[in-house]
Amino acid sequence: MKRAQRIILTGFSGTGKTKVARLVAARLGWHAVDTDDLIVQRAGKPIPQIFAQDGEECFRRLERDALAEVCRRSGVVIGVGGGANVSSENRRILADGGFIVCLEARPDTILQRLRPQLRHDPEARPMLAGPDPLGRIRQLKAQRAPFYALADYTVHTDGLSPEQAANEVLRAWRRLSAAALAADGRLAALAADPTAAVVAPDRPRPDATCVVRAASASYPVFVSWGALPDLGRRLAEASLSGRAFLIADANVHERWGAAAEEALRSAGFGVAACPVPAGEASKSLESAAAIYDWLVAQRAERGEAIVALGGGMVCDLAGFVAATFARGLPLVHVPTSLLAMVDAAVGGKVAVDHPQAKNLIGAFYQPRLVLADVSVLQTLPSRELTAGWAEVIKHALILDSDLLRLLEDNAEAAQRLDPEIAERVIARSVALKAAVVSEDEREETGRRTILNYGHTIGHGLEAAAGYAGLLHGEAVALGMSGAARIAVRLGMLAPKLAQRQDALLARFGLPLCAPGIDAQKALAAMALDKKAQAGAVRWVLLEDIGRTVIRRDVPPPLVEEVVAELTAAQP
Ligand SMILES: NC(=O)c1ccc[n+]([C@@H]2O[C@H](COP(=O)([O-])OP(=O)(O)OC[C@H]3O[C@@H](n4cnc5c(N)ncnc54)[C@H](O)[C@@H]3O)[C@@H](O)[C@H]2O)c1
């Protein structure tokens, strides 16, 4: 077996990749290459200028080309940029013939190493710009940790000199690189997406789309076209047995109830069904009480599952009942609206409404599994489907430029529910939500806050419309358009990115203005939200695709200006 002819050093900025690459190359008589240097050469301008003038996406494209170029050479030690191996395409390029060593360091070590540069030239590290570089390092590192873990070997560099770190790299290369490169399935494993298709170690689910790993529970999420007939089998795999109590939106039950019941019966489950009238009015304590009565009459026992079949209304209502009846019954979500698939069914928020406020009475209660059959969206009313795309687009904007491109390239196919495309984009969107929820189950660390992108103005407009004129997704689309205008006027977001966002929302048939909605009412509702958030609205704003910041200092006159624009009568 032959040792690798390329050594690739990955890891966050400040872990010593450039210095260590030079030292290792000198010891082997090889060349050291820094991909960031190559990008600067090829682009003819420094990286901060590429970010500022052309955007992160352009930088990532240049980076991909640079990686492909250096990976055609042998006898090289390659230091790659801190975000390069987030892309699976890049990881495949790097892994093909290269021995990948990740250089690790704690966030405080990284800041200590980068501080002289940040002080001297703050523009040099655009990803770390802002008043709290340590917080930003922690945030970015946490996001990228699953990708850094995809290496053949890791060297923890805290407390090591560059020479010592280089020795560790060389030792690993000598001992391990030949065997690593010859290992079966290595390329696929290193290129696999660590945030999707993560398999729960306790119960193997090789076919799960993703696994939510919340602090209180882990559970698989299955998303595919035609998944419904697998429902009973999936419950059995989750160690459920006995009876399944199907709580279903009446509209959905009419169309899909028989298929769901058949899937459960054929796997040996007894089934009792409780259709609930469609509409938000059913998400009430009265409906929950009626379902409790029904469960008592059925003599439901602990351990028997509640299966929620419907949109977000049923997910929330049936989830609330499951959380509270007999101190908790196992819950299975079978979301049937697009909003429920990519949002309500994943994350464990269950609730009913109070006459004074939506979702006021609720809990965090995670399901045992989620099964989303994308084909059932064919019967979803088209306005509901359109509204659901707003949340998918939101996930792409705040977290995933690859998904954004996929949506842009396939907007029409996604909207007409082309099976392959619809399954792909919805599965990706669900995996993004699952990853965020896994990091912050109960909205305690702040990570989950980014999911509120577009919701500040969106809530205000929804409330001003009396929760009747606008669907939630439509309000979120308007809210994203408003948030982007704010970010542009604060000088945080390039105008062309705001235009790109709005163009995609429009292509998906989502509104960008809401003439007729009372701006003053919307602002008053936002002021109430502000009170509920202890005096400071947390605005989630975009700086770039996949890059959000939380701001509490958006000037009120700017908010008023933007809400007035969104609600102005159109010429
Ligand atoms: N728990 C959470 O994290 C969370 C997140 C977002 C929204 N929500 C909640 O979700 C609810 C909104 O969800 P929604 O938009 O799905 O509304 P919904 O559940 O009221 O469904 C919308 C409409 O679509 C119909 N429908 C659903 N699936 C269908 C299908 N496949 N075929 C035919 N008709 C179908 C329903 O009968 C209903 O008329 C709100 O109550 C909101 O508070 C919860």
Side-chain angles (χ1 to χ4, degrees), residues 456-466 470 475 478-479 514 517 522 526 563 566-567:
T456 307
I457 292 179
H459 278 159
L461 295 173
E462 248 182 317
L470 275 179
L478 288 158
I517 289 191
M526 288 162 66
V563 172
L566 290 169
T567 54

Side-chain angles (χ1 to χ4, degrees), residues 249 251-252 255-256 278-280 283 310-314 316 336-337 339-340 343-344 346 349-350 358-359 376-377 379-381 384 433 448 472:
D249 176 292
N251 288 343
V252 176
R255 291 165 174 87
W256 300 102
E280 186 71 16
K283 217 177 99 175
M313 181 278 285
V314 155
D316 281 5
T336 63
S337 70
L339 179 98
D343 196 359
V346 177
K349 284 187 179 177
V350 298
K358 256 173 78 83
N359 299 324
V376 307
L377 296 178
T379 60
L380 184 68
E384 301 283 352
K433 168 100 198 249
R448 218 168 152 154
H472 178 68

